[in-house]
Amino acid sequence: MAEETKPTKIIDARGSYCPGPLMELIKNYKQAKTGDVISLYSSDSGTKTDAPAWIKKSGNELIGVYDRDGYFEIVLKKTRQ
Amino acid sequence: MTDKLSLLLVSGTSDKLMAGAIIASGAIANDMDVDIFVSFWGLMEFRKGAAGKVKLSYDGKDIEKEVLQKMAQKKIPSWIDMIRQAKEVGNVKVYGCAMFADLMDLKKDDLDPIIDEIIGVSQFVAMAKDSKMTLFI
């Protein structure tokens, strides 16, 4: 991930299963400010597709989905109010 | 107007209650409001302190031991915690069925605070009538 998109908040939802990580993401998203960058760590395979789909559908920016060591990281930028 | 999902939960086993909780969460992620109407064995599980026991429906009896072990190992949250989380994240309301509550002498105070109100079936049908989806689980 590029330096300029350093997350404002990291949610470590590793070990939690669907729908846990996505719910954590939405909960934190609602508390975040426009422009905040939220990074979600998850080891649940459903989240890998569900979270990016939610980010796009909600009209926010999906910065990336990254495979990490034994988990993956999904990064969103809150672009909506 | 926000789209809405209406769920009717009648079963008291974890597999079915969990299915309801997961679908409610999915609805929240799709920007839907959720109304959950709980009756019969479902409502018995919403009594204060009753939700801790994990049991499966008859369909799952042959693999119950394995499923329960895996759920414990993987620390799967309980269905009631999933509904609590869905309520924190979105607009989820849980209603107890007045008929069954009367039948079993259950007052709102006997039920977990997750239950917003005890209502009659016609109120639930009115909610379901305005919903995009209604599921009976």
Side-chain angles (χ1 to χ4, degrees):
Chain A
M1 203 169 72
E3 278 301 312
E4 60 270 24
T5 51
K6 208 170 179 303
T8 320
K9 170 124 194 156
I10 293 171
I11 306 160
D12 189 351
R14 285 175 291 179
S16 160
Y17 291 85
C18 170
L22 183 60
M23 289 297 107
E24 285 297 325
L25 178 66
I26 299 175
K27 193 160 59 179
N28 280 280
Y29 165 80
K30 290 196 166 179
Q31 290 158 0
K33 296 191 286 289
T34 308
D36 281 357
V37 174
I38 303 171
S39 171
L40 174 70
Y41 297 171
S42 175
S43 49
D44 166 63
S45 60
T47 316
K48 192 174 181 174
T49 51
D50 273 14
W54 179 81
I55 292 165
K56 285 179 198 161
K57 204 170 71 67
S58 63
N60 291 282
E61 187 187 337
L62 175 65
I63 291 181
V65 180
Y66 308 94
D67 278 310
R68 303 291 186 216
D69 193 15
Y71 67 101
F72 45 88
E73 179 179 5
I74 296 154
V75 185
L76 100 93
K77 185 171 185 181
K78 182 165 179 170
T79 49
R80 291 189 55 190
Q81 284 288 22
Chain B
M1 206 175 92
T2 312
D3 287 337
K4 198 166 69 175
L5 164 72
S6 297
L7 282 179
L8 180 49
L9 296 181
V10 174
S11 303
T13 54
S14 299
D15 46 344
K16 302 207 172 189
L17 291 163
M18 197 174 267
I22 291 173
I23 293 170
S25 308
I28 291 304
N30 279 280
D31 275 335
M32 295 172 88
D33 290 344
V34 181
D35 287 326
I36 305 177
F37 188 60
V38 194
S39 191
F40 277 82
W41 328 126
L43 195 61
M44 293 301 273
E45 294 303 304
F46 278 81
R47 284 172 303 162
K48 277 181 185 157
K53 290 184 221 88
V54 180
K55 49 186 187 269
L56 298 189
S57 62
Y58 186 73
D59 302 342
K61 280 290 175 229
D62 50 340
I63 51 163
E64 185 167 61
K65 205 173 154 197
E66 188 189 339
V67 174
L68 295 184
Q69 263 173 8
K70 282 191 189 292
M71 283 170 71
Q73 263 167 22
K74 299 190 175 181
K75 298 193 175 65
I76 300 284
S78 69
W79 56 269
I80 203 159
D81 283 341
M82 274 190 223
I83 297 178
R84 270 193 199 107
Q85 186 171 39
K87 280 185 87 139
E88 275 175 44
V89 174
N91 186 19
V92 179
K93 292 274 188 300
V94 188
Y95 301 100
C97 163
M99 179 278 291
F100 190 76
D102 281 349
L103 181 71
M104 298 305 287
D105 297 318
L106 294 172
K107 301 279 173 278
K108 192 174 176 305
D109 201 41
D110 299 320
L111 302 167
D112 190 280
I114 204 168
I115 299 268
D116 292 281
E117 224 182 304
I118 294 179
I119 65 168
V121 70
S122 123
Q123 245 182 297
F124 174 70
V125 173
M127 291 170 183
K129 193 163 153 271
D130 293 331
S131 315
K132 193 104 172 180
M133 288 169 75
T134 300
L135 299 175
F136 177 92
I137 300 174

